[in-house]
Amino acid sequence: MLKSVDHIVLTTCDLYKCVDFYTRVLGMRLERYGEGRFALRFGDQKLNIHPPGVKAGIKAKKPTPGSLDLCFLADRPLDEVIAQLKQHEVAIEEGPVVRTGARFAIRSVYIRDPDHNLIEISELAEKSLETAD
């Protein structure tokens, strides 16, 4: 019945900190649509942003900043990602570690965004799976 994810909604308590982090640190592109609506694009995916007071027609019953646990596949080697995170003074909470991805074993680092969502950034693991997620 289902084929893929179209978009995910990211609830934030500070639109400007959220946009800065995802655009400056992670390299996503800001997109404006509708009346006062924002999204972050990367590849063929997007994150819609719901700041406080957003006028969405329908949304989660209890949207809560910091409740997401997201995993992104990197477009470059993980060591380059780690270097970029260090350049932006983003703390790595865990990793690199090998985990189970949706399609293959992944090597990941874990960070937090300004709302304290857990962000996993991964690459294809070169060796066999050592630990499971």
Side-chain angles (χ1 to χ4, degrees):
M1 179 167 63
L2 302 177
K3 178 181 173 183
S4 64
V5 173
D6 181 74
H7 68 277
I8 293 172
V9 176
L10 177 65
T11 300
T12 184
C13 60
D14 188 322
L15 177 63
Y16 300 104
K17 284 182 182 177
C18 177
V19 168
D20 177 66
F21 177 82
Y22 283 93
T23 58
R24 184 177 54 83
V25 176
L26 298 186
M28 295 182 186
R29 297 178 320 276
L30 178 64
E31 176 181 275
R32 296 169 193 260
Y33 68 100
E35 187 178 326
R37 304 291 300 273
F38 300 91
L40 297 159
R41 283 212 174 262
F42 60 103
D44 292 333
Q45 288 78 48
K46 75 172 185 166
L47 299 175
N48 288 347
I49 306 171
H50 281 189
V54 69
K55 302 280 194 252
I58 189 167
K59 58 184 175 184
K61 188 159 188 118
K62 295 182 183 179
T64 308
S67 63
L68 287 178
D69 183 338
L70 299 170
C71 179
F72 298 111
L73 293 174
D75 67 353
R76 62 199 66 184
L78 193 60
D79 291 336
E80 290 180 26
V81 170
I82 293 168
Q84 185 171 338
L85 293 171
K86 287 180 180 177
Q87 179 183 13
H88 290 287
E89 300 179 352
V90 174
I92 294 174
E93 287 201 10
E94 187 174 331
V97 294
V98 176
R99 299 284 193 222
T100 302
R103 296 174 290 154
F104 42 75
I106 52 178
R107 182 172 168 254
S108 305
V109 292
Y110 293 84
I111 62 174
R112 299 271 175 188
D113 74 4
D115 289 298
H116 305 288
N117 292 299
L118 183 64
I119 307 298
E120 180 180 359
I121 304 174
S122 307
E123 69 179 355
L124 173 66
E126 293 181 16
K127 54 187 175 179
S128 64
L129 187 62
E130 297 172 354
T131 58
D133 211 17

